[in-house]
Amino acid sequence: MNIKIIGVGRLKEKYLKQGIEEYAKRLSKFAKFEVVEVPDEKAPEQLSEAEMLQVKEREGERILDKIKDREYVFALAILGKERSSEELAAEIDKLATYGNSDITFVIGGSLGLSKAVLKRADTQISFGRFTLPHQLMRLVLTEQVYRAYMINAGSPYHK
C-alpha cells in the first residue's frame, strides 16, 4: 500500500514536522508513506476573485503534476463528506481489498483547491467546518491515516 499526502507550501514549523515524522514512522509498518510539497503561489494579501482563481489554478497544476492516473485521490475540502475514523478506516481497507494500493490525499493552499483538482479527485473528504491552517492539517491527516490502519489492525490505539 502507498499513501501520499500532497500539500501546498513548505512546512516550516518544527513541531509539526516532528509530529508528522513520528506518525510516518509508525505508518511504515503498514504502508509506504510520503509527503509531497508543491510550491504555493506568491500573492498579495488582497486579491480579486479572478486573482484568487488564478492562484488556485496555478497551485492546482502543480498538484495534478504529482498525481498518477492509478492513484485514488481524496481531496480535503470543507464541503466534502465528513467521515468518522472508523469510516475512513473501512474505506481504506476496501480500497486495498479491491486493488487501489495507491491512495493520495490532497491539501490545498490557503485559498483551497482548484476546480481541476476537485474534478480529478475520486472523493472529497472534510474534517468538519473548522478552518485549520493547511500546515496543521497535514499532521491531523497523518494521524488519522495512522489511526485508520490501527483500527483495521484491531489495535487498542483507537480507544
Side-chain angles (χ1 to χ4, degrees), residues 3-7 11 16-28 30 33-36 76 88 92 105 107 127 134-150 157:
I3 302 287
K4 176 168 58 179
I5 295 175
I6 300 173
L11 193 61
L16 293 175
K17 286 182 182 179
Q18 290 171 330
I20 291 168
E21 287 166 6
E22 176 61 30
Y23 287 113
K25 186 172 74 177
R26 294 179 189 190
L27 261 170
S28 68
F30 304 103
F33 176 78
E34 69 174 320
V35 175
V36 176
L76 274 70
L88 179 61
I92 288 173
F105 293 87
I107 303 171
F127 280 71
H134 53 280
Q135 298 92 337
L136 177 60
M137 200 61 232
R138 287 187 207 179
L139 175 58
V140 172
L141 175 60
T142 304
E143 190 281 334
Q144 283 298 302
V145 170
Y146 173 69
R147 181 177 296 272
Y149 276 96
M150 295 306 285
Y157 170 84

mmCIF file of all heavy atoms in Angstrom, residues 3-7 11 16-28 30 33-36 76 88 92 105 107 127 134-150 157:
data_model
loop_
_atom_site.group_PDB
_atom_site.id
_atom_site.type_symbol
_atom_site.label_atom_id
_atom_site.label_comp_id
_atom_site.label_asym_id
_atom_site.label_seq_id
_atom_site.Cartn_x
_atom_site.Cartn_y
_atom_site.Cartn_z
ATOM 1 N N ILE A 3 0.673 5.386 0.518
ATOM 2 C CA ILE A 3 -0.118 6.538 0.962
ATOM 3 C C ILE A 3 0.721 7.789 0.717
ATOM 4 O O ILE A 3 1.875 7.863 1.134
ATOM 5 C CB ILE A 3 -0.465 6.455 2.463
ATOM 6 C CG1 ILE A 3 -1.240 5.182 2.797
ATOM 7 C CG2 ILE A 3 -1.200 7.715 2.919
ATOM 8 C CD1 ILE A 3 -2.663 5.159 2.332
ATOM 9 N N LYS A 4 0.117 8.758 0.050
ATOM 10 C CA LYS A 4 0.814 10.004 -0.245
ATOM 11 C C LYS A 4 -0.080 11.168 0.161
ATOM 12 O O LYS A 4 -1.287 11.140 -0.069
ATOM 13 C CB LYS A 4 1.130 10.063 -1.747
ATOM 14 C CG LYS A 4 1.779 11.361 -2.191
ATOM 15 C CD LYS A 4 2.355 11.297 -3.606
ATOM 16 C CE LYS A 4 1.389 10.941 -4.672
ATOM 17 N NZ LYS A 4 1.964 10.913 -6.020
ATOM 18 N N ILE A 5 0.538 12.170 0.768
ATOM 19 C CA ILE A 5 -0.145 13.432 1.047
ATOM 20 C C ILE A 5 0.544 14.486 0.198
ATOM 21 O O ILE A 5 1.766 14.639 0.263
ATOM 22 C CB ILE A 5 -0.075 13.819 2.530
ATOM 23 C CG1 ILE A 5 -0.838 12.809 3.394
ATOM 24 C CG2 ILE A 5 -0.619 15.241 2.740
ATOM 25 C CD1 ILE A 5 -0.723 13.055 4.890
ATOM 26 N N ILE A 6 -0.243 15.181 -0.613
ATOM 27 C CA ILE A 6 0.275 16.308 -1.378
ATOM 28 C C ILE A 6 -0.225 17.572 -0.696
ATOM 29 O O ILE A 6 -1.429 17.732 -0.501
ATOM 30 C CB ILE A 6 -0.201 16.278 -2.845
ATOM 31 C CG1 ILE A 6 0.259 14.991 -3.543
ATOM 32 C CG2 ILE A 6 0.315 17.517 -3.590
ATOM 33 C CD1 ILE A 6 -0.311 14.810 -4.947
ATOM 34 N N GLY A 7 0.705 18.432 -0.325
ATOM 35 C CA GLY A 7 0.353 19.676 0.347
ATOM 36 C C GLY A 7 0.965 20.863 -0.358
ATOM 37 O O GLY A 7 2.068 20.781 -0.891
ATOM 38 N N LEU A 11 6.412 23.171 4.802
ATOM 39 C CA LEU A 11 6.137 23.078 6.234
ATOM 40 C C LEU A 11 7.368 23.595 6.968
ATOM 41 O O LEU A 11 8.452 23.034 6.849
ATOM 42 C CB LEU A 11 5.850 21.621 6.588
ATOM 43 C CG LEU A 11 5.258 21.353 7.949
ATOM 44 C CD1 LEU A 11 3.907 22.050 8.094
ATOM 45 C CD2 LEU A 11 5.064 19.863 8.136
ATOM 46 N N LEU A 16 5.414 20.592 13.959
ATOM 47 C CA LEU A 16 4.535 19.889 13.027
ATOM 48 C C LEU A 16 5.322 18.830 12.263
ATOM 49 O O LEU A 16 4.854 17.707 12.074
ATOM 50 C CB LEU A 16 3.874 20.872 12.066
ATOM 51 C CG LEU A 16 2.870 21.843 12.683
ATOM 52 C CD1 LEU A 16 2.389 22.849 11.647
ATOM 53 C CD2 LEU A 16 1.697 21.109 13.307
ATOM 54 N N LYS A 17 6.529 19.182 11.819
ATOM 55 C CA LYS A 17 7.388 18.215 11.119
ATOM 56 C C LYS A 17 7.663 17.007 12.004
ATOM 57 O O LYS A 17 7.609 15.872 11.542
ATOM 58 C CB LYS A 17 8.725 18.855 10.725
ATOM 59 C CG LYS A 17 8.660 19.807 9.569
ATOM 60 C CD LYS A 17 10.065 20.314 9.267
ATOM 61 C CE LYS A 17 10.072 21.321 8.152
ATOM 62 N NZ LYS A 17 11.425 21.817 7.885
ATOM 63 N N GLN A 18 7.960 17.258 13.282
ATOM 64 C CA GLN A 18 8.255 16.166 14.206
ATOM 65 C C GLN A 18 7.050 15.252 14.397
ATOM 66 O O GLN A 18 7.190 14.030 14.443
ATOM 67 C CB GLN A 18 8.720 16.720 15.558
ATOM 68 C CG GLN A 18 10.092 17.354 15.493
ATOM 69 C CD GLN A 18 10.461 18.086 16.778
ATOM 70 O OE1 GLN A 18 9.594 18.613 17.494
ATOM 71 N NE2 GLN A 18 11.751 18.143 17.063
ATOM 72 N N GLY A 19 5.879 15.840 14.509
ATOM 73 C CA GLY A 19 4.658 15.037 14.655
ATOM 74 C C GLY A 19 4.409 14.176 13.434
ATOM 75 O O GLY A 19 4.101 12.982 13.551
ATOM 76 N N ILE A 20 4.556 14.763 12.262
ATOM 77 C CA ILE A 20 4.353 14.008 11.015
ATOM 78 C C ILE A 20 5.386 12.897 10.905
ATOM 79 O O ILE A 20 5.053 11.759 10.543
ATOM 80 C CB ILE A 20 4.390 14.954 9.798
ATOM 81 C CG1 ILE A 20 3.145 15.850 9.806
ATOM 82 C CG2 ILE A 20 4.475 14.157 8.489
ATOM 83 C CD1 ILE A 20 3.189 17.008 8.828
ATOM 84 N N GLU A 21 6.637 13.202 11.240
ATOM 85 C CA GLU A 21 7.691 12.180 11.188
ATOM 86 C C GLU A 21 7.378 11.017 12.115
ATOM 87 O O GLU A 21 7.610 9.856 11.772
ATOM 88 C CB GLU A 21 9.051 12.790 11.541
ATOM 89 C CG GLU A 21 9.610 13.674 10.444
ATOM 90 C CD GLU A 21 10.788 14.541 10.893
ATOM 91 O OE1 GLU A 21 11.271 14.380 12.048
ATOM 92 O OE2 GLU A 21 11.212 15.396 10.089
ATOM 93 N N GLU A 22 6.844 11.299 13.292
ATOM 94 C CA GLU A 22 6.506 10.241 14.245
ATOM 95 C C GLU A 22 5.412 9.330 13.685
ATOM 96 O O GLU A 22 5.529 8.105 13.717
ATOM 97 C CB GLU A 22 6.063 10.844 15.586
ATOM 98 C CG GLU A 22 5.601 9.816 16.603
ATOM 99 C CD GLU A 22 6.661 8.800 17.001
ATOM 100 O OE1 GLU A 22 7.872 9.126 16.979
ATOM 101 O OE2 GLU A 22 6.275 7.655 17.335
ATOM 102 N N TYR A 23 4.351 9.921 13.155
ATOM 103 C CA TYR A 23 3.281 9.089 12.591
ATOM 104 C C TYR A 23 3.735 8.388 11.315
ATOM 105 O O TYR A 23 3.320 7.261 11.045
ATOM 106 C CB TYR A 23 2.008 9.910 12.359
ATOM 107 C CG TYR A 23 1.330 10.238 13.669
ATOM 108 C CD1 TYR A 23 1.257 11.543 14.126
ATOM 109 C CD2 TYR A 23 0.785 9.235 14.456
ATOM 110 C CE1 TYR A 23 0.667 11.845 15.340
ATOM 111 C CE2 TYR A 23 0.185 9.522 15.673
ATOM 112 C CZ TYR A 23 0.128 10.828 16.108
ATOM 113 O OH TYR A 23 -0.456 11.114 17.314
ATOM 114 N N ALA A 24 4.604 9.025 10.532
ATOM 115 C CA ALA A 24 5.143 8.386 9.328
ATOM 116 C C ALA A 24 5.943 7.144 9.712
ATOM 117 O O ALA A 24 5.837 6.100 9.052
ATOM 118 C CB ALA A 24 6.012 9.368 8.551
ATOM 119 N N LYS A 25 6.715 7.252 10.773
ATOM 120 C CA LYS A 25 7.498 6.099 11.255
ATOM 121 C C LYS A 25 6.555 4.962 11.678
ATOM 122 O O LYS A 25 6.756 3.810 11.314
ATOM 123 C CB LYS A 25 8.383 6.542 12.426
ATOM 124 C CG LYS A 25 9.348 5.481 12.918
ATOM 125 C CD LYS A 25 10.326 6.051 13.932
ATOM 126 C CE LYS A 25 9.631 6.284 15.248
ATOM 127 N NZ LYS A 25 10.514 6.773 16.324
ATOM 128 N N ARG A 26 5.510 5.308 12.403
ATOM 129 C CA ARG A 26 4.538 4.299 12.844
ATOM 130 C C ARG A 26 3.814 3.674 11.643
ATOM 131 O O ARG A 26 3.544 2.483 11.623
ATOM 132 C CB ARG A 26 3.511 4.925 13.779
ATOM 133 C CG ARG A 26 4.075 5.394 15.092
ATOM 134 C CD ARG A 26 2.980 6.011 15.925
ATOM 135 N NE ARG A 26 3.487 6.666 17.117
ATOM 136 C CZ ARG A 26 2.703 7.118 18.098
ATOM 137 N NH1 ARG A 26 1.392 6.980 18.024
ATOM 138 N NH2 ARG A 26 3.242 7.703 19.143
ATOM 139 N N LEU A 27 3.490 4.518 10.664
ATOM 140 C CA LEU A 27 2.772 4.044 9.466
ATOM 141 C C LEU A 27 3.615 3.104 8.608
ATOM 142 O O LEU A 27 3.076 2.289 7.859
ATOM 143 C CB LEU A 27 2.368 5.243 8.604
ATOM 144 C CG LEU A 27 0.955 5.754 8.731
ATOM 145 C CD1 LEU A 27 0.810 7.079 8.006
ATOM 146 C CD2 LEU A 27 -0.046 4.758 8.211
ATOM 147 N N SER A 28 4.931 3.223 8.715
ATOM 148 C CA SER A 28 5.819 2.437 7.855
ATOM 149 C C SER A 28 5.636 0.935 8.037
ATOM 150 O O SER A 28 6.007 0.152 7.166
ATOM 151 C CB SER A 28 7.282 2.834 8.066
ATOM 152 O OG SER A 28 7.718 2.453 9.363
ATOM 153 N N PHE A 30 2.792 -0.457 7.956
ATOM 154 C CA PHE A 30 1.609 -0.800 7.184
ATOM 155 C C PHE A 30 1.684 -0.396 5.716
ATOM 156 O O PHE A 30 1.072 -1.040 4.867
ATOM 157 C CB PHE A 30 0.374 -0.118 7.790
ATOM 158 C CG PHE A 30 0.155 -0.426 9.231
ATOM 159 C CD1 PHE A 30 0.485 0.492 10.212
ATOM 160 C CD2 PHE A 30 -0.378 -1.652 9.619
ATOM 161 C CE1 PHE A 30 0.284 0.213 11.555
ATOM 162 C CE2 PHE A 30 -0.585 -1.942 10.960
ATOM 163 C CZ PHE A 30 -0.243 -1.010 11.931
ATOM 164 N N PHE A 33 4.773 5.548 2.971
ATOM 165 C CA PHE A 33 4.141 6.836 3.229
ATOM 166 C C PHE A 33 5.067 7.954 2.802
ATOM 167 O O PHE A 33 6.263 7.924 3.087
ATOM 168 C CB PHE A 33 3.812 6.977 4.723
ATOM 169 C CG PHE A 33 3.234 8.306 5.094
ATOM 170 C CD1 PHE A 33 1.907 8.592 4.841
ATOM 171 C CD2 PHE A 33 4.022 9.285 5.687
ATOM 172 C CE1 PHE A 33 1.363 9.836 5.176
ATOM 173 C CE2 PHE A 33 3.493 10.529 6.031
ATOM 174 C CZ PHE A 33 2.159 10.793 5.770
ATOM 175 N N GLU A 34 4.516 8.947 2.111
ATOM 176 C CA GLU A 34 5.318 10.109 1.743
ATOM 177 C C GLU A 34 4.464 11.369 1.746
ATOM 178 O O GLU A 34 3.260 11.323 1.522
ATOM 179 C CB GLU A 34 5.986 9.927 0.378
ATOM 180 C CG GLU A 34 5.035 9.920 -0.788
ATOM 181 C CD GLU A 34 5.734 9.877 -2.146
ATOM 182 O OE1 GLU A 34 6.763 10.556 -2.335
ATOM 183 O OE2 GLU A 34 5.220 9.167 -3.023
ATOM 184 N N VAL A 35 5.134 12.475 2.025
ATOM 185 C CA VAL A 35 4.511 13.788 1.929
ATOM 186 C C VAL A 35 5.220 14.516 0.789
ATOM 187 O O VAL A 35 6.442 14.583 0.750
ATOM 188 C CB VAL A 35 4.649 14.599 3.241
ATOM 189 C CG1 VAL A 35 4.094 16.003 3.062
ATOM 190 C CG2 VAL A 35 3.958 13.883 4.390
ATOM 191 N N VAL A 36 4.438 15.018 -0.152
ATOM 192 C CA VAL A 36 4.972 15.758 -1.291
ATOM 193 C C VAL A 36 4.511 17.199 -1.158
ATOM 194 O O VAL A 36 3.311 17.468 -1.043
ATOM 195 C CB VAL A 36 4.464 15.157 -2.623
ATOM 196 C CG1 VAL A 36 4.929 15.987 -3.801
ATOM 197 C CG2 VAL A 36 4.903 13.704 -2.761
ATOM 198 N N LEU A 76 -9.152 17.108 0.283
ATOM 199 C CA LEU A 76 -9.665 17.680 1.515
ATOM 200 C C LEU A 76 -10.378 18.978 1.171
ATOM 201 O O LEU A 76 -9.780 19.880 0.584
ATOM 202 C CB LEU A 76 -8.539 17.932 2.515
ATOM 203 C CG LEU A 76 -8.200 16.714 3.381
ATOM 204 C CD1 LEU A 76 -7.540 15.616 2.571
ATOM 205 C CD2 LEU A 76 -7.340 17.108 4.553
ATOM 206 N N LEU A 88 -13.352 6.075 7.683
ATOM 207 C CA LEU A 88 -12.145 6.232 6.878
ATOM 208 C C LEU A 88 -11.350 4.931 6.862
ATOM 209 O O LEU A 88 -10.862 4.508 5.807
ATOM 210 C CB LEU A 88 -11.279 7.383 7.404
ATOM 211 C CG LEU A 88 -9.976 7.619 6.628
ATOM 212 C CD1 LEU A 88 -10.257 7.969 5.160
ATOM 213 C CD2 LEU A 88 -9.149 8.712 7.297
ATOM 214 N N ILE A 92 -10.382 2.853 3.473
ATOM 215 C CA ILE A 92 -9.009 2.495 3.104
ATOM 216 C C ILE A 92 -8.882 0.984 2.949
ATOM 217 O O ILE A 92 -8.272 0.496 1.993
ATOM 218 C CB ILE A 92 -8.005 3.055 4.139
ATOM 219 C CG1 ILE A 92 -7.905 4.582 3.982
ATOM 220 C CG2 ILE A 92 -6.628 2.399 3.983
ATOM 221 C CD1 ILE A 92 -7.086 5.285 5.055
ATOM 222 N N PHE A 105 -3.915 11.818 -0.693
ATOM 223 C CA PHE A 105 -4.727 12.857 -0.056
ATOM 224 C C PHE A 105 -4.152 14.196 -0.491
ATOM 225 O O PHE A 105 -2.937 14.377 -0.498
ATOM 226 C CB PHE A 105 -4.653 12.752 1.469
ATOM 227 C CG PHE A 105 -5.284 11.512 2.029
ATOM 228 C CD1 PHE A 105 -4.553 10.338 2.149
ATOM 229 C CD2 PHE A 105 -6.607 11.519 2.445
ATOM 230 C CE1 PHE A 105 -5.130 9.188 2.674
ATOM 231 C CE2 PHE A 105 -7.195 10.369 2.969
ATOM 232 C CZ PHE A 105 -6.457 9.203 3.085
ATOM 233 N N ILE A 107 -4.135 18.356 0.079
ATOM 234 C CA ILE A 107 -4.466 19.503 0.920
ATOM 235 C C ILE A 107 -4.072 20.755 0.146
ATOM 236 O O ILE A 107 -2.905 20.939 -0.199
ATOM 237 C CB ILE A 107 -3.699 19.468 2.256
ATOM 238 C CG1 ILE A 107 -3.987 18.162 3.012
ATOM 239 C CG2 ILE A 107 -4.055 20.691 3.108
ATOM 240 C CD1 ILE A 107 -3.098 17.960 4.225
ATOM 241 N N PHE A 127 -12.930 17.449 7.283
ATOM 242 C CA PHE A 127 -12.655 17.240 8.703
ATOM 243 C C PHE A 127 -13.511 18.192 9.532
ATOM 244 O O PHE A 127 -13.150 18.574 10.629
ATOM 245 C CB PHE A 127 -11.165 17.436 8.988
ATOM 246 C CG PHE A 127 -10.339 16.236 8.616
ATOM 247 C CD1 PHE A 127 -10.121 15.902 7.290
ATOM 248 C CD2 PHE A 127 -9.788 15.420 9.591
ATOM 249 C CE1 PHE A 127 -9.375 14.801 6.935
ATOM 250 C CE2 PHE A 127 -9.037 14.310 9.252
ATOM 251 C CZ PHE A 127 -8.824 14.001 7.920
ATOM 252 N N HIS A 134 -3.466 24.944 6.793
ATOM 253 C CA HIS A 134 -3.216 23.753 5.986
ATOM 254 C C HIS A 134 -1.974 23.004 6.456
ATOM 255 O O HIS A 134 -1.888 21.792 6.297
ATOM 256 C CB HIS A 134 -3.185 24.066 4.487
ATOM 257 C CG HIS A 134 -2.277 25.159 4.069
ATOM 258 N ND1 HIS A 134 -2.602 26.481 4.196
ATOM 259 C CD2 HIS A 134 -1.048 25.126 3.528
ATOM 260 C CE1 HIS A 134 -1.599 27.225 3.756
ATOM 261 N NE2 HIS A 134 -0.642 26.437 3.344
ATOM 262 N N GLN A 135 -1.027 23.695 7.114
ATOM 263 C CA GLN A 135 0.142 23.017 7.646
ATOM 264 C C GLN A 135 -0.254 22.084 8.801
ATOM 265 O O GLN A 135 0.214 20.948 8.883
ATOM 266 C CB GLN A 135 1.191 24.025 8.152
ATOM 267 C CG GLN A 135 1.740 24.927 7.080
ATOM 268 C CD GLN A 135 0.961 26.239 6.963
ATOM 269 O OE1 GLN A 135 -0.206 26.341 7.352
ATOM 270 N NE2 GLN A 135 1.607 27.242 6.410
ATOM 271 N N LEU A 136 -1.120 22.556 9.681
ATOM 272 C CA LEU A 136 -1.600 21.734 10.791
ATOM 273 C C LEU A 136 -2.422 20.562 10.266
ATOM 274 O O LEU A 136 -2.381 19.459 10.804
ATOM 275 C CB LEU A 136 -2.431 22.583 11.765
ATOM 276 C CG LEU A 136 -3.067 21.851 12.945
ATOM 277 C CD1 LEU A 136 -2.008 21.186 13.816
ATOM 278 C CD2 LEU A 136 -3.900 22.824 13.773
ATOM 279 N N MET A 137 -3.150 20.793 9.187
ATOM 280 C CA MET A 137 -3.984 19.738 8.604
ATOM 281 C C MET A 137 -3.138 18.538 8.175
ATOM 282 O O MET A 137 -3.591 17.401 8.247
ATOM 283 C CB MET A 137 -4.761 20.312 7.415
ATOM 284 C CG MET A 137 -5.967 19.507 7.037
ATOM 285 S SD MET A 137 -7.166 19.401 8.380
ATOM 286 C CE MET A 137 -7.367 17.649 8.437
ATOM 287 N N ARG A 138 -1.914 18.779 7.754
ATOM 288 C CA ARG A 138 -1.028 17.658 7.372
ATOM 289 C C ARG A 138 -0.805 16.719 8.548
ATOM 290 O O ARG A 138 -0.832 15.503 8.398
ATOM 291 C CB ARG A 138 0.329 18.166 6.881
ATOM 292 C CG ARG A 138 0.255 18.784 5.535
ATOM 293 C CD ARG A 138 1.647 19.099 5.035
ATOM 294 N NE ARG A 138 1.578 20.217 4.109
ATOM 295 C CZ ARG A 138 2.609 20.759 3.512
ATOM 296 N NH1 ARG A 138 3.815 20.294 3.734
ATOM 297 N NH2 ARG A 138 2.451 21.772 2.698
ATOM 298 N N LEU A 139 -0.571 17.317 9.730
ATOM 299 C CA LEU A 139 -0.362 16.494 10.923
ATOM 300 C C LEU A 139 -1.643 15.760 11.309
ATOM 301 O O LEU A 139 -1.624 14.560 11.578
ATOM 302 C CB LEU A 139 0.142 17.358 12.086
ATOM 303 C CG LEU A 139 0.282 16.648 13.436
ATOM 304 C CD1 LEU A 139 1.224 15.451 13.345
ATOM 305 C CD2 LEU A 139 0.747 17.631 14.500
ATOM 306 N N VAL A 140 -2.754 16.465 11.322
ATOM 307 C CA VAL A 140 -4.040 15.859 11.680
ATOM 308 C C VAL A 140 -4.363 14.710 10.722
ATOM 309 O O VAL A 140 -4.740 13.609 11.143
ATOM 310 C CB VAL A 140 -5.171 16.917 11.674
ATOM 311 C CG1 VAL A 140 -6.534 16.271 11.850
ATOM 312 C CG2 VAL A 140 -4.932 17.963 12.752
ATOM 313 N N LEU A 141 -4.172 14.937 9.437
ATOM 314 C CA LEU A 141 -4.448 13.905 8.438
ATOM 315 C C LEU A 141 -3.527 12.703 8.612
ATOM 316 O O LEU A 141 -3.978 11.554 8.559
ATOM 317 C CB LEU A 141 -4.308 14.483 7.029
ATOM 318 C CG LEU A 141 -4.449 13.498 5.871
ATOM 319 C CD1 LEU A 141 -5.812 12.817 5.887
ATOM 320 C CD2 LEU A 141 -4.219 14.219 4.548
ATOM 321 N N THR A 142 -2.245 12.945 8.836
ATOM 322 C CA THR A 142 -1.295 11.840 9.014
ATOM 323 C C THR A 142 -1.700 10.984 10.210
ATOM 324 O O THR A 142 -1.679 9.753 10.142
ATOM 325 C CB THR A 142 0.140 12.382 9.176
ATOM 326 O OG1 THR A 142 0.454 13.197 8.044
ATOM 327 C CG2 THR A 142 1.144 11.248 9.257
ATOM 328 N N GLU A 143 -2.093 11.636 11.298
ATOM 329 C CA GLU A 143 -2.544 10.874 12.470
ATOM 330 C C GLU A 143 -3.790 10.075 12.158
ATOM 331 O O GLU A 143 -3.919 8.926 12.565
ATOM 332 C CB GLU A 143 -2.800 11.830 13.653
ATOM 333 C CG GLU A 143 -3.045 11.110 14.974
ATOM 334 C CD GLU A 143 -4.438 10.529 15.174
ATOM 335 O OE1 GLU A 143 -5.389 11.056 14.554
ATOM 336 O OE2 GLU A 143 -4.582 9.552 15.937
ATOM 337 N N GLN A 144 -4.726 10.647 11.415
ATOM 338 C CA GLN A 144 -5.965 9.932 11.093
ATOM 339 C C GLN A 144 -5.712 8.735 10.167
ATOM 340 O O GLN A 144 -6.369 7.708 10.296
ATOM 341 C CB GLN A 144 -6.996 10.879 10.484
ATOM 342 C CG GLN A 144 -7.669 11.763 11.505
ATOM 343 C CD GLN A 144 -8.446 10.969 12.539
ATOM 344 O OE1 GLN A 144 -9.349 10.201 12.228
ATOM 345 N NE2 GLN A 144 -8.089 11.142 13.806
ATOM 346 N N VAL A 145 -4.772 8.864 9.260
ATOM 347 C CA VAL A 145 -4.419 7.729 8.402
ATOM 348 C C VAL A 145 -3.796 6.628 9.259
ATOM 349 O O VAL A 145 -4.136 5.449 9.123
ATOM 350 C CB VAL A 145 -3.473 8.164 7.255
ATOM 351 C CG1 VAL A 145 -2.921 6.953 6.511
ATOM 352 C CG2 VAL A 145 -4.208 9.095 6.290
ATOM 353 N N TYR A 146 -2.904 7.010 10.167
ATOM 354 C CA TYR A 146 -2.321 6.026 11.089
ATOM 355 C C TYR A 146 -3.426 5.374 11.924
ATOM 356 O O TYR A 146 -3.472 4.158 12.084
ATOM 357 C CB TYR A 146 -1.278 6.687 11.997
ATOM 358 C CG TYR A 146 -0.781 5.762 13.072
ATOM 359 C CD1 TYR A 146 0.019 4.665 12.761
ATOM 360 C CD2 TYR A 146 -1.114 5.975 14.409
ATOM 361 C CE1 TYR A 146 0.468 3.802 13.752
ATOM 362 C CE2 TYR A 146 -0.665 5.122 15.402
ATOM 363 C CZ TYR A 146 0.117 4.035 15.070
ATOM 364 O OH TYR A 146 0.552 3.177 16.054
ATOM 365 N N ARG A 147 -4.329 6.178 12.434
ATOM 366 C CA ARG A 147 -5.449 5.663 13.238
ATOM 367 C C ARG A 147 -6.268 4.664 12.418
ATOM 368 O O ARG A 147 -6.675 3.612 12.919
ATOM 369 C CB ARG A 147 -6.327 6.816 13.721
ATOM 370 C CG ARG A 147 -7.510 6.395 14.589
ATOM 371 C CD ARG A 147 -8.277 7.614 15.087
ATOM 372 N NE ARG A 147 -7.459 8.440 15.954
ATOM 373 C CZ ARG A 147 -7.351 8.265 17.277
ATOM 374 N NH1 ARG A 147 -8.018 7.301 17.880
ATOM 375 N NH2 ARG A 147 -6.569 9.065 17.983
ATOM 376 N N ALA A 148 -6.496 4.965 11.144
ATOM 377 C CA ALA A 148 -7.257 4.056 10.285
ATOM 378 C C ALA A 148 -6.579 2.691 10.204
ATOM 379 O O ALA A 148 -7.236 1.638 10.299
ATOM 380 C CB ALA A 148 -7.413 4.655 8.884
ATOM 381 N N TYR A 149 -5.275 2.691 10.035
ATOM 382 C CA TYR A 149 -4.542 1.419 9.978
ATOM 383 C C TYR A 149 -4.608 0.690 11.310
ATOM 384 O O TYR A 149 -4.706 -0.543 11.348
ATOM 385 C CB TYR A 149 -3.094 1.643 9.538
ATOM 386 C CG TYR A 149 -2.974 1.716 8.041
ATOM 387 C CD1 TYR A 149 -2.959 2.942 7.388
ATOM 388 C CD2 TYR A 149 -2.902 0.559 7.268
ATOM 389 C CE1 TYR A 149 -2.874 3.016 6.011
ATOM 390 C CE2 TYR A 149 -2.819 0.621 5.892
ATOM 391 C CZ TYR A 149 -2.803 1.851 5.270
ATOM 392 O OH TYR A 149 -2.725 1.918 3.905
ATOM 393 N N MET A 150 -4.549 1.430 12.404
ATOM 394 C CA MET A 150 -4.638 0.792 13.720
ATOM 395 C C MET A 150 -6.030 0.205 13.957
ATOM 396 O O MET A 150 -6.163 -0.874 14.527
ATOM 397 C CB MET A 150 -4.269 1.796 14.824
ATOM 398 C CG MET A 150 -2.806 2.251 14.752
ATOM 399 S SD MET A 150 -1.616 0.877 14.746
ATOM 400 C CE MET A 150 -1.702 0.394 16.456
ATOM 401 N N TYR A 157 -5.138 1.237 20.110
ATOM 402 C CA TYR A 157 -4.736 2.639 19.947
ATOM 403 C C TYR A 157 -5.950 3.552 19.756
ATOM 404 O O TYR A 157 -5.985 4.658 20.281
ATOM 405 C CB TYR A 157 -3.813 2.785 18.716
ATOM 406 C CG TYR A 157 -3.528 4.219 18.328
ATOM 407 C CD1 TYR A 157 -2.512 4.940 18.954
ATOM 408 C CD2 TYR A 157 -4.255 4.870 17.333
ATOM 409 C CE1 TYR A 157 -2.241 6.261 18.606
ATOM 410 C CE2 TYR A 157 -3.995 6.186 16.984
ATOM 411 C CZ TYR A 157 -2.990 6.868 17.624
ATOM 412 O OH TYR A 157 -2.718 8.175 17.280
#
